[in-house]
Amino acid sequence: MYLTRLLYFSECNPELDPCIERILSSARTRNEVEEVSGALWFDGKFFIQALEGQRLAVSRIYHRIAADPRHCNIELVACEAIDTRLFGEWSMGYLAATKRNWANIFKFSGHRELKPREMSPESMLKFLLALEHDD
């Protein structure tokens, strides 16, 4: 079985309450069953997420997210075969928009505000890896 890492971002639908606690609870439960790990950034405007696991499981989860009305303008940034997981310790780690995490925006996006459309896949992944985990 091959491991896959998928990276995407989306905008939060301004007409719906994203309720990040519900998203995290549901994702952690599903991801444990599917043996998928990952990390999620959410700042009230953008979601950036990495998913890692078996290709079919990652694909199923991504398609479910893409159909979720809380997300709009979803963009697949990268999908690749991997040998090891970078986020293996989390069924879904939450990377909150804390003051300390917000300081990484400029370092990885080159802007004072998050502009994921202007970030390379490598910068987006490094951004997620540099953030502090927050349950």
Side-chain angles (χ1 to χ4, degrees):
M1 298 261 208
Y2 296 100
L3 286 177
T4 296
R5 179 178 308 114
L6 184 144
L7 184 63
Y8 79 89
F9 74 88
S10 66
E11 293 178 45
C12 181
N13 184 338
E15 296 176 7
L16 297 175
D17 176 9
C19 191
I20 195 68
E21 291 81 16
R22 258 196 331 262
I23 289 173
L24 289 170
S25 176
S26 174
R28 288 173 176 152
T29 300
R30 279 195 180 121
N31 289 1
E32 281 184 33
V33 170
E34 297 270 13
E35 296 180 0
V36 169
S37 57
L40 173 68
W41 159 271
F42 180 62
D43 64 5
K45 183 175 181 182
F46 290 106
F47 295 96
I48 298 177
Q49 187 170 24
L51 297 166
E52 300 171 329
Q54 300 303 321
R55 185 171 44 208
L56 181 58
V58 168
S59 180
R60 266 195 303 260
I61 290 170
Y62 175 72
H63 286 285
R64 198 168 26 247
I65 292 166
D68 186 328
R70 293 174 291 195
H71 296 266
C72 56
N73 301 319
I74 191 166
E75 290 189 32
L76 179 63
V77 175
C79 187
E80 61 187 347
I82 57 173
D83 293 324
T84 57
R85 297 175 191 242
L86 296 175
F87 304 101
E89 69 274 15
W90 303 326
S91 61
M92 184 46 57
Y94 177 47
L95 306 167
T98 62
K99 187 174 183 178
R100 175 175 256 161
N101 281 343
W102 203 259
N104 282 305
I105 297 286
F106 182 75
K107 182 178 178 181
F108 293 100
S109 76
H111 302 282
R112 294 275 173 222
E113 62 186 64
L114 186 62
K115 295 187 178 185
R117 283 182 183 83
E118 297 181 21
M119 295 173 76
S120 70
E122 295 79 17
S123 290
M124 196 172 286
L125 187 59
K126 286 178 183 177
F127 171 69
L128 290 176
L129 288 167
L131 300 175
E132 288 188 1
H133 180 256
D134 181 38
D135 272 327

